[in-house]
PDB file of all heavy atoms in Angstrom:
ATOM      1  N   MET N 247     123.869 100.894 127.051  1.00  0.00           N
ATOM      2  CA  MET N 247     124.108 101.487 128.379  1.00  0.00           C
ATOM      3  C   MET N 247     124.105 102.991 128.309  1.00  0.00           C
ATOM      4  O   MET N 247     124.935 103.673 128.992  1.00  0.00           O
ATOM      5  CB  MET N 247     125.480 100.974 128.907  1.00  0.00           C
ATOM      6  CG  MET N 247     125.376  99.541 129.472  1.00  0.00           C
ATOM      7  SD  MET N 247     124.176  99.295 130.765  1.00  0.00           S
ATOM      8  CE  MET N 247     124.925 100.225 132.094  1.00  0.00           C
ATOM      9  N   SER N 248     123.172 103.506 127.601  1.00  0.00           N
ATOM     10  CA  SER N 248     123.000 104.990 127.504  1.00  0.00           C
ATOM     11  C   SER N 248     121.666 105.267 126.881  1.00  0.00           C
ATOM     12  O   SER N 248     121.066 104.424 126.158  1.00  0.00           O
ATOM     13  CB  SER N 248     124.128 105.629 126.713  1.00  0.00           C
ATOM     14  OG  SER N 248     124.153 105.159 125.378  1.00  0.00           O
ATOM     15  N   GLY N 249     121.134 106.502 127.136  1.00  0.00           N
ATOM     16  CA  GLY N 249     119.935 106.919 126.439  1.00  0.00           C
ATOM     17  C   GLY N 249     120.381 107.666 125.193  1.00  0.00           C
ATOM     18  O   GLY N 249     121.144 108.671 125.249  1.00  0.00           O
ATOM     19  N   GLN N 250     119.971 107.207 124.049  1.00  0.00           N
ATOM     20  CA  GLN N 250     120.435 107.770 122.747  1.00  0.00           C
ATOM     21  C   GLN N 250     119.288 108.534 122.053  1.00  0.00           C
ATOM     22  O   GLN N 250     118.415 107.929 121.508  1.00  0.00           O
ATOM     23  CB  GLN N 250     120.893 106.656 121.813  1.00  0.00           C
ATOM     24  CG  GLN N 250     122.070 105.896 122.373  1.00  0.00           C
ATOM     25  CD  GLN N 250     123.444 106.566 122.091  1.00  0.00           C
ATOM     26  OE1 GLN N 250     123.517 107.532 121.364  1.00  0.00           O
ATOM     27  NE2 GLN N 250     124.490 106.150 122.807  1.00  0.00           N
ATOM     28  N   PRO N 251     119.296 109.868 122.104  1.00  0.00           N
ATOM     29  CA  PRO N 251     118.179 110.648 121.468  1.00  0.00           C
ATOM     30  C   PRO N 251     118.179 110.498 119.971  1.00  0.00           C
ATOM     31  O   PRO N 251     117.131 110.729 119.334  1.00  0.00           O
ATOM     32  CB  PRO N 251     118.514 112.116 121.904  1.00  0.00           C
ATOM     33  CG  PRO N 251     119.983 112.078 122.122  1.00  0.00           C
ATOM     34  CD  PRO N 251     120.303 110.820 122.725  1.00  0.00           C
ATOM     35  N   GLY N 252     119.280 110.106 119.333  1.00  0.00           N
ATOM     36  CA  GLY N 252     119.322 109.920 117.938  1.00  0.00           C
ATOM     37  C   GLY N 252     119.052 108.481 117.458  1.00  0.00           C
ATOM     38  O   GLY N 252     119.183 108.176 116.206  1.00  0.00           O
ATOM     39  N   ALA N 253     118.729 107.597 118.377  1.00  0.00           N
ATOM     40  CA  ALA N 253     118.512 106.180 118.015  1.00  0.00           C
ATOM     41  C   ALA N 253     117.183 106.020 117.312  1.00  0.00           C
ATOM     42  O   ALA N 253     116.291 106.837 117.317  1.00  0.00           O
ATOM     43  CB  ALA N 253     118.532 105.347 119.230  1.00  0.00           C
ATOM     44  N   GLY N 254     117.093 104.889 116.634  1.00  0.00           N
ATOM     45  CA  GLY N 254     115.818 104.474 116.019  1.00  0.00           C
ATOM     46  C   GLY N 254     115.428 105.144 114.708  1.00  0.00           C
ATOM     47  O   GLY N 254     114.316 105.014 114.224  1.00  0.00           O
ATOM     48  N   VAL N 255     116.380 105.835 114.059  1.00  0.00           N
ATOM     49  CA  VAL N 255     116.096 106.478 112.784  1.00  0.00           C
ATOM     50  C   VAL N 255     115.781 105.387 111.725  1.00  0.00           C
ATOM     51  O   VAL N 255     116.574 104.420 111.602  1.00  0.00           O
ATOM     52  CB  VAL N 255     117.211 107.315 112.278  1.00  0.00           C
ATOM     53  CG1 VAL N 255     116.971 107.913 110.912  1.00  0.00           C
ATOM     54  CG2 VAL N 255     117.534 108.447 113.255  1.00  0.00           C
ATOM     55  N   ALA N 256     114.678 105.527 111.104  1.00  0.00           N
ATOM     56  CA  ALA N 256     114.142 104.547 110.039  1.00  0.00           C
ATOM     57  C   ALA N 256     113.754 103.198 110.562  1.00  0.00           C
ATOM     58  O   ALA N 256     113.513 102.289 109.852  1.00  0.00           O
ATOM     59  CB  ALA N 256     115.176 104.409 108.941  1.00  0.00           C
ATOM     60  N   PHE N 257     113.728 103.032 111.932  1.00  0.00           N
ATOM     61  CA  PHE N 257     113.285 101.762 112.512  1.00  0.00           C
ATOM     62  C   PHE N 257     111.823 101.461 112.131  1.00  0.00           C
ATOM     63  O   PHE N 257     111.449 100.286 111.999  1.00  0.00           O
ATOM     64  CB  PHE N 257     113.462 101.752 114.026  1.00  0.00           C
ATOM     65  CG  PHE N 257     114.846 101.378 114.481  1.00  0.00           C
ATOM     66  CD1 PHE N 257     115.919 101.539 113.623  1.00  0.00           C
ATOM     67  CD2 PHE N 257     115.080 100.916 115.781  1.00  0.00           C
ATOM     68  CE1 PHE N 257     117.217 101.248 114.087  1.00  0.00           C
ATOM     69  CE2 PHE N 257     116.355 100.589 116.199  1.00  0.00           C
ATOM     70  CZ  PHE N 257     117.424 100.766 115.347  1.00  0.00           C
ATOM     71  N   GLU N 258     111.006 102.483 111.994  1.00  0.00           N
ATOM     72  CA  GLU N 258     109.636 102.345 111.681  1.00  0.00           C
ATOM     73  C   GLU N 258     109.448 101.699 110.365  1.00  0.00           C
ATOM     74  O   GLU N 258     108.530 100.918 110.072  1.00  0.00           O
ATOM     75  CB  GLU N 258     108.869 103.655 111.733  1.00  0.00           C
ATOM     76  CG  GLU N 258     109.374 104.738 110.787  1.00  0.00           C
ATOM     77  CD  GLU N 258     110.574 105.496 111.337  1.00  0.00           C
ATOM     78  OE1 GLU N 258     110.892 105.354 112.501  1.00  0.00           O
ATOM     79  OE2 GLU N 258     111.131 106.285 110.538  1.00  0.00           O
ATOM     80  N   LEU N 259     110.399 101.951 109.399  1.00  0.00           N
ATOM     81  CA  LEU N 259     110.304 101.423 108.049  1.00  0.00           C
ATOM     82  C   LEU N 259     110.582  99.883 108.093  1.00  0.00           C
ATOM     83  O   LEU N 259     109.920  99.086 107.452  1.00  0.00           O
ATOM     84  CB  LEU N 259     111.321 102.116 107.124  1.00  0.00           C
ATOM     85  CG  LEU N 259     111.089 103.573 106.948  1.00  0.00           C
ATOM     86  CD1 LEU N 259     112.138 104.173 106.008  1.00  0.00           C
ATOM     87  CD2 LEU N 259     109.713 103.957 106.489  1.00  0.00           C
ATOM     88  N   ASP N 260     111.608  99.498 108.886  1.00  0.00           N
ATOM     89  CA  ASP N 260     111.913  98.053 109.039  1.00  0.00           C
ATOM     90  C   ASP N 260     110.717  97.343 109.733  1.00  0.00           C
ATOM     91  O   ASP N 260     110.387  96.218 109.407  1.00  0.00           O
ATOM     92  CB  ASP N 260     113.182  97.854 109.854  1.00  0.00           C
ATOM     93  CG  ASP N 260     114.396  98.009 108.949  1.00  0.00           C
ATOM     94  OD1 ASP N 260     114.298  98.044 107.733  1.00  0.00           O
ATOM     95  OD2 ASP N 260     115.533  98.046 109.517  1.00  0.00           O
ATOM     96  N   ALA N 261     110.116  98.023 110.726  1.00  0.00           N
ATOM     97  CA  ALA N 261     109.007  97.388 111.459  1.00  0.00           C
ATOM     98  C   ALA N 261     107.779  97.185 110.453  1.00  0.00           C
ATOM     99  O   ALA N 261     107.206  96.127 110.448  1.00  0.00           O
ATOM    100  CB  ALA N 261     108.562  98.297 112.596  1.00  0.00           C
ATOM    101  N   ILE N 262     107.561  98.202 109.660  1.00  0.00           N
ATOM    102  CA  ILE N 262     106.476  98.030 108.595  1.00  0.00           C
ATOM    103  C   ILE N 262     106.796  96.927 107.664  1.00  0.00           C
ATOM    104  O   ILE N 262     105.971  96.143 107.251  1.00  0.00           O
ATOM    105  CB  ILE N 262     106.256  99.371 107.897  1.00  0.00           C
ATOM    106  CG1 ILE N 262     105.697 100.449 108.827  1.00  0.00           C
ATOM    107  CG2 ILE N 262     105.289  99.218 106.686  1.00  0.00           C
ATOM    108  CD1 ILE N 262     105.718 101.809 108.270  1.00  0.00           C
ATOM    109  N   ALA N 263     108.088  96.864 107.290  1.00  0.00           N
ATOM    110  CA  ALA N 263     108.540  95.793 106.334  1.00  0.00           C
ATOM    111  C   ALA N 263     108.298  94.437 106.974  1.00  0.00           C
ATOM    112  O   ALA N 263     107.830  93.511 106.260  1.00  0.00           O
ATOM    113  CB  ALA N 263     110.017  95.976 105.985  1.00  0.00           C
ATOM    114  N   MET N 264     108.640  94.228 108.239  1.00  0.00           N
ATOM    115  CA  MET N 264     108.374  92.985 108.846  1.00  0.00           C
ATOM    116  C   MET N 264     106.899  92.593 108.843  1.00  0.00           C
ATOM    117  O   MET N 264     106.509  91.406 108.622  1.00  0.00           O
ATOM    118  CB  MET N 264     108.818  93.001 110.361  1.00  0.00           C
ATOM    119  CG  MET N 264     110.330  93.094 110.523  1.00  0.00           C
ATOM    120  SD  MET N 264     110.781  93.315 112.214  1.00  0.00           S
ATOM    121  CE  MET N 264     112.572  93.453 112.107  1.00  0.00           C
ATOM    122  N   VAL N 265     105.985  93.595 109.117  1.00  0.00           N
ATOM    123  CA  VAL N 265     104.618  93.278 109.150  1.00  0.00           C
ATOM    124  C   VAL N 265     104.098  92.867 107.737  1.00  0.00           C
ATOM    125  O   VAL N 265     103.356  91.893 107.560  1.00  0.00           O
ATOM    126  CB  VAL N 265     103.808  94.529 109.599  1.00  0.00           C
ATOM    127  CG1 VAL N 265     102.306  94.266 109.578  1.00  0.00           C
ATOM    128  CG2 VAL N 265     104.227  94.907 111.078  1.00  0.00           C
ATOM    129  N   VAL N 266     104.599  93.605 106.707  1.00  0.00           N
ATOM    130  CA  VAL N 266     104.149  93.312 105.317  1.00  0.00           C
ATOM    131  C   VAL N 266     104.760  91.975 104.867  1.00  0.00           C
ATOM    132  O   VAL N 266     104.060  91.183 104.284  1.00  0.00           O
ATOM    133  CB  VAL N 266     104.589  94.461 104.434  1.00  0.00           C
ATOM    134  CG1 VAL N 266     104.367  94.057 102.932  1.00  0.00           C
ATOM    135  CG2 VAL N 266     103.818  95.749 104.719  1.00  0.00           C
ATOM    136  N   LEU N 267     105.975  91.724 105.162  1.00  0.00           N
ATOM    137  CA  LEU N 267     106.634  90.451 104.795  1.00  0.00           C
ATOM    138  C   LEU N 267     105.936  89.302 105.489  1.00  0.00           C
ATOM    139  O   LEU N 267     105.948  88.195 104.981  1.00  0.00           O
ATOM    140  CB  LEU N 267     108.107  90.500 105.149  1.00  0.00           C
ATOM    141  CG  LEU N 267     109.009  91.342 104.254  1.00  0.00           C
ATOM    142  CD1 LEU N 267     110.455  91.351 104.854  1.00  0.00           C
ATOM    143  CD2 LEU N 267     109.042  90.769 102.841  1.00  0.00           C
ATOM    144  N   GLY N 268     105.296  89.621 106.629  1.00  0.00           N
ATOM    145  CA  GLY N 268     104.641  88.533 107.381  1.00  0.00           C
ATOM    146  C   GLY N 268     103.196  88.272 106.908  1.00  0.00           C
ATOM    147  O   GLY N 268     102.519  87.477 107.525  1.00  0.00           O
ATOM    148  N   GLY N 269     102.849  88.947 105.877  1.00  0.00           N
ATOM    149  CA  GLY N 269     101.508  88.618 105.317  1.00  0.00           C
ATOM    150  C   GLY N 269     100.343  89.510 105.672  1.00  0.00           C
ATOM    151  O   GLY N 269      99.189  89.283 105.261  1.00  0.00           O
ATOM    152  N   THR N 270     100.599  90.501 106.529  1.00  0.00           N
ATOM    153  CA  THR N 270      99.507  91.387 106.968  1.00  0.00           C
ATOM    154  C   THR N 270      99.192  92.370 105.851  1.00  0.00           C
ATOM    155  O   THR N 270     100.125  93.019 105.256  1.00  0.00           O
ATOM    156  CB  THR N 270      99.892  92.182 108.183  1.00  0.00           C
ATOM    157  OG1 THR N 270     100.046  91.195 109.270  1.00  0.00           O
ATOM    158  CG2 THR N 270      98.838  93.173 108.596  1.00  0.00           C
ATOM    159  N   ALA N 271      97.895  92.482 105.475  1.00  0.00           N
ATOM    160  CA  ALA N 271      97.522  93.441 104.459  1.00  0.00           C
ATOM    161  C   ALA N 271      97.742  94.826 104.891  1.00  0.00           C
ATOM    162  O   ALA N 271      97.355  95.260 105.974  1.00  0.00           O
ATOM    163  CB  ALA N 271      96.023  93.191 104.105  1.00  0.00           C
ATOM    164  N   ILE N 272      98.389  95.613 104.090  1.00  0.00           N
ATOM    165  CA  ILE N 272      98.720  96.992 104.423  1.00  0.00           C
ATOM    166  C   ILE N 272      97.492  97.837 104.617  1.00  0.00           C
ATOM    167  O   ILE N 272      97.465  98.844 105.353  1.00  0.00           O
ATOM    168  CB  ILE N 272      99.666  97.638 103.418  1.00  0.00           C
ATOM    169  CG1 ILE N 272     100.336  98.854 103.939  1.00  0.00           C
ATOM    170  CG2 ILE N 272      98.871  97.966 102.127  1.00  0.00           C
ATOM    171  CD1 ILE N 272     101.329  98.607 105.021  1.00  0.00           C
ATOM    172  N   ALA N 273      96.366  97.423 103.991  1.00  0.00           N
ATOM    173  CA  ALA N 273      95.078  98.117 104.180  1.00  0.00           C
ATOM    174  C   ALA N 273      94.335  97.699 105.383  1.00  0.00           C
ATOM    175  O   ALA N 273      93.296  98.324 105.763  1.00  0.00           O
ATOM    176  CB  ALA N 273      94.198  97.899 102.930  1.00  0.00           C
ATOM    177  N   GLY N 274      94.813  96.656 106.057  1.00  0.00           N
ATOM    178  CA  GLY N 274      94.178  96.222 107.322  1.00  0.00           C
ATOM    179  C   GLY N 274      93.217  95.072 107.140  1.00  0.00           C
ATOM    180  O   GLY N 274      92.858  94.707 106.011  1.00  0.00           O
ATOM    181  N   GLY N 275      92.823  94.503 108.317  1.00  0.00           N
ATOM    182  CA  GLY N 275      91.743  93.477 108.302  1.00  0.00           C
ATOM    183  C   GLY N 275      92.241  92.054 108.046  1.00  0.00           C
ATOM    184  O   GLY N 275      91.476  91.120 108.282  1.00  0.00           O
ATOM    185  N   ARG N 276      93.451  91.845 107.632  1.00  0.00           N
ATOM    186  CA  ARG N 276      93.978  90.489 107.402  1.00  0.00           C
ATOM    187  C   ARG N 276      95.432  90.386 107.751  1.00  0.00           C
ATOM    188  O   ARG N 276      96.255  91.219 107.354  1.00  0.00           O
ATOM    189  CB  ARG N 276      93.798  90.170 105.834  1.00  0.00           C
ATOM    190  CG  ARG N 276      94.180  88.761 105.497  1.00  0.00           C
ATOM    191  CD  ARG N 276      93.860  88.516 104.022  1.00  0.00           C
ATOM    192  NE  ARG N 276      94.056  87.146 103.608  1.00  0.00           N
ATOM    193  CZ  ARG N 276      95.220  86.661 103.137  1.00  0.00           C
ATOM    194  NH1 ARG N 276      96.264  87.462 102.954  1.00  0.00           N
ATOM    195  NH2 ARG N 276      95.373  85.371 102.841  1.00  0.00           N
ATOM    196  N   GLY N 277      95.705  89.356 108.502  1.00  0.00           N
ATOM    197  CA  GLY N 277      97.099  89.140 108.958  1.00  0.00           C
ATOM    198  C   GLY N 277      97.119  88.441 110.305  1.00  0.00           C
ATOM    199  O   GLY N 277      96.150  88.380 111.008  1.00  0.00           O
ATOM    200  N   LEU N 278      98.359  87.899 110.620  1.00  0.00           N
ATOM    201  CA  LEU N 278      98.471  87.228 111.881  1.00  0.00           C
ATOM    202  C   LEU N 278      99.768  87.702 112.542  1.00  0.00           C
ATOM    203  O   LEU N 278     100.783  87.978 111.875  1.00  0.00           O
ATOM    204  CB  LEU N 278      98.541  85.756 111.649  1.00  0.00           C
ATOM    205  CG  LEU N 278      97.319  85.010 111.098  1.00  0.00           C
ATOM    206  CD1 LEU N 278      97.633  83.624 110.640  1.00  0.00           C
ATOM    207  CD2 LEU N 278      96.191  85.055 112.081  1.00  0.00           C
ATOM    208  N   ILE N 279      99.771  87.748 113.877  1.00  0.00           N
ATOM    209  CA  ILE N 279     100.943  88.141 114.638  1.00  0.00           C
ATOM    210  C   ILE N 279     102.111  87.217 114.435  1.00  0.00           C
ATOM    211  O   ILE N 279     103.303  87.591 114.365  1.00  0.00           O
ATOM    212  CB  ILE N 279     100.613  88.345 116.107  1.00  0.00           C
ATOM    213  CG1 ILE N 279     101.713  89.099 116.754  1.00  0.00           C
ATOM    214  CG2 ILE N 279     100.443  87.025 116.800  1.00  0.00           C
ATOM    215  CD1 ILE N 279     101.871  90.579 116.343  1.00  0.00           C
ATOM    216  N   LEU N 280     101.780  85.905 114.222  1.00  0.00           N
ATOM    217  CA  LEU N 280     102.854  84.902 113.917  1.00  0.00           C
ATOM    218  C   LEU N 280     103.466  85.213 112.621  1.00  0.00           C
ATOM    219  O   LEU N 280     104.684  85.034 112.390  1.00  0.00           O
ATOM    220  CB  LEU N 280     102.220  83.494 113.865  1.00  0.00           C
ATOM    221  CG  LEU N 280     103.203  82.363 113.623  1.00  0.00           C
ATOM    222  CD1 LEU N 280     104.327  82.374 114.696  1.00  0.00           C
ATOM    223  CD2 LEU N 280     102.484  80.978 113.637  1.00  0.00           C
ATOM    224  N   GLY N 281     102.733  85.798 111.669  1.00  0.00           N
ATOM    225  CA  GLY N 281     103.291  86.163 110.406  1.00  0.00           C
ATOM    226  C   GLY N 281     104.304  87.290 110.549  1.00  0.00           C
ATOM    227  O   GLY N 281     105.314  87.304 109.855  1.00  0.00           O
ATOM    228  N   THR N 282     104.047  88.251 111.479  1.00  0.00           N
ATOM    229  CA  THR N 282     104.981  89.321 111.768  1.00  0.00           C
ATOM    230  C   THR N 282     106.268  88.744 112.303  1.00  0.00           C
ATOM    231  O   THR N 282     107.361  89.203 111.927  1.00  0.00           O
ATOM    232  CB  THR N 282     104.342  90.317 112.746  1.00  0.00           C
ATOM    233  OG1 THR N 282     103.186  90.875 112.177  1.00  0.00           O
ATOM    234  CG2 THR N 282     105.367  91.477 113.031  1.00  0.00           C
ATOM    235  N   LEU N 283     106.138  87.763 113.185  1.00  0.00           N
ATOM    236  CA  LEU N 283     107.371  87.144 113.718  1.00  0.00           C
ATOM    237  C   LEU N 283     108.172  86.438 112.627  1.00  0.00           C
ATOM    238  O   LEU N 283     109.413  86.597 112.542  1.00  0.00           O
ATOM    239  CB  LEU N 283     107.008  86.077 114.745  1.00  0.00           C
ATOM    240  CG  LEU N 283     108.198  85.326 115.460  1.00  0.00           C
ATOM    241  CD1 LEU N 283     109.159  86.258 116.061  1.00  0.00           C
ATOM    242  CD2 LEU N 283     107.686  84.314 116.474  1.00  0.00           C
TER     243      LEU N 283
END
Side-chain angles (χ1 to χ4, degrees):
M247 284 303 288
S248 62
Q250 299 278 346
V255 175
F257 277 23
E258 60 278 350
L259 302 181
D260 278 348
I262 294 170
M264 290 175 182
V265 177
V266 172
L267 287 173
T270 296
I272 197 68
R276 184 174 186 269
L278 297 170
I279 194 67
L280 181 56
T282 298
L283 180 59

